[in-house]
Amino acid sequence: MADRKPLIAGNWKMNGTRAEAEELVSGFVEQVSGYWSLDVAVCPPTTLLDSLVARLDGTEVKVAAQNCHFEESGAYTGEVSAPMLTDIGCWGVVLGHSERREHFCETDEALARKLVAAFDAGLVPILCCGETDEQREAGEFESVIRGQLEADLADLDSDQLAELVIAYEPIWAIGTGKTASAEQAAEAAAFVREVVAGIHGGAAEQTRVLYGGSVKPENASELLAAPDIDGALVGGASLKADDFAAICEAAR
């Protein structure tokens, strides 16, 4: 792995009250204290962003949002812009999660614009890509991933690609208990880097590629050992303080 710093990001999805968030971060923040060789981030619901930015100030844990709009402001009821996230102190933003693509009809065209907006606002985007079980069985894995990435990254320059984080998440392994084998995850991460190299060759070795899909303490070490995997986007296990801390320890 070049000089890429591993990242473990916990996607809380639509979970957490203020009290629950405080209990959760209190349960792991001390455990990951001093992990300077590792980036750790939590991605809570929008209602918790402001309070968690304040709560985690001065710790090693960063805060990222789960989505943003591509416009800076305007008549977009219910949306939050990238500059608004920067304004409250967010470090990054997750974009293109499979649940957003599936349930909220998020398109690659919109994601291309969101990525530009995130970078313009000073956020680190964590772009998700992945294939369904049916697509993998049909031998369409490479065409699906290539199609998503080439469309989503079309408007980024090489410097932005070097700062980008891409999370490969096999959709068939999200919330199902299934997990890609270490070999499958490694092959997918290497292919993601190959696609980035085809867009801007020099950036590919700097782009961080995460694995996401039922990452748990029991499988974290094996999944994170692959040379092209630079961390994990963690779902359910990020809602359990000890489990999330154990995954961070495996990455460290």
Side-chain angles (χ1 to χ4, degrees):
M1 181 177 74
D3 56 354
R4 300 185 301 270
K5 190 175 186 180
L7 166 65
I8 301 296
N11 178 17
W12 293 5
K13 306 189 180 185
M14 195 176 71
N15 294 290
T17 62
R18 281 189 166 191
E20 289 167 342
E22 172 60 30
E23 181 180 1
L24 179 54
V25 298
S26 295
F28 71 76
V29 70
E30 291 301 324
Q31 296 187 64
V32 302
S33 177
Y35 283 19
W36 299 110
S37 61
L38 174 72
D39 280 339
V40 179
V42 293
C43 313
T46 304
T47 55
L48 298 174
L49 290 172
D50 204 358
S51 59
L52 281 174
V53 166
R55 168 66 176 83
L56 295 170
D57 184 41
T59 75
E60 288 86 357
V61 183
K62 308 173 189 298
V63 178
Q66 295 178 12
N67 186 35
C68 73
H69 199 273
F70 48 73
E71 296 287 1
E72 291 188 6
S73 61
Y76 302 100
T77 301
E79 292 290 332
V80 175
S81 73
M84 290 175 179
L85 298 177
T86 305
D87 182 56
I88 62 171
C90 285
W91 164 80
V93 59
V94 177
L95 295 173
H97 191 280
S98 62
E99 293 161 1
R100 297 288 316 169
R101 294 179 188 258
E102 178 183 359
H103 301 308
F104 301 99
C105 305
E106 196 152 64
T107 66
D108 289 313
E109 179 184 9
L111 286 168
R113 298 177 69 182
K114 289 184 177 191
L115 282 167
V116 172
F119 275 117
D120 285 348
L123 297 168
V124 175
I126 302 174
L127 174 68
C128 301
C129 65
E131 83 285 5
T132 65
D133 200 15
E134 292 78 10
Q135 289 167 333
R136 175 169 279 272
E137 290 298 320
E140 298 172 352
F141 159 71
E142 290 192 358
S143 63
V144 170
I145 300 302
R146 184 182 298 279
Q148 289 176 345
L149 293 180
E150 289 183 346
D152 297 346
L153 308 181
D155 298 324
L156 301 186
D157 60 33
S158 59
D159 290 340
Q160 291 169 327
L161 279 176
E163 293 297 319
L164 178 69
V165 178
I166 298 176
Y168 166 69
E169 42 163 30
I171 297 170
W172 45 270
I174 298 173
T176 65
K178 297 179 181 179
T179 309
S181 68
E183 182 179 3
Q184 287 174 318
E187 289 175 351
F191 182 71
V192 166
R193 202 174 303 284
E194 178 184 318
V195 174
V196 175
I199 300 170
H200 282 292
E205 284 304 309
Q206 299 302 315
T207 303
R208 289 189 283 186
V209 180
L210 312 183
Y211 171 78
S214 296
V215 180
K216 303 179 285 289
E218 294 79 15
N219 60 28
S221 294
E222 184 179 15
L223 288 167
L224 296 171
D228 277 296
I229 295 179
D230 307 311
L233 181 60
V234 185
S238 69
L239 296 172
K240 301 176 182 178
D242 289 343
D243 285 0
F244 189 61
I247 293 170
C248 291
E249 175 61 24
R252 189 170 72 105

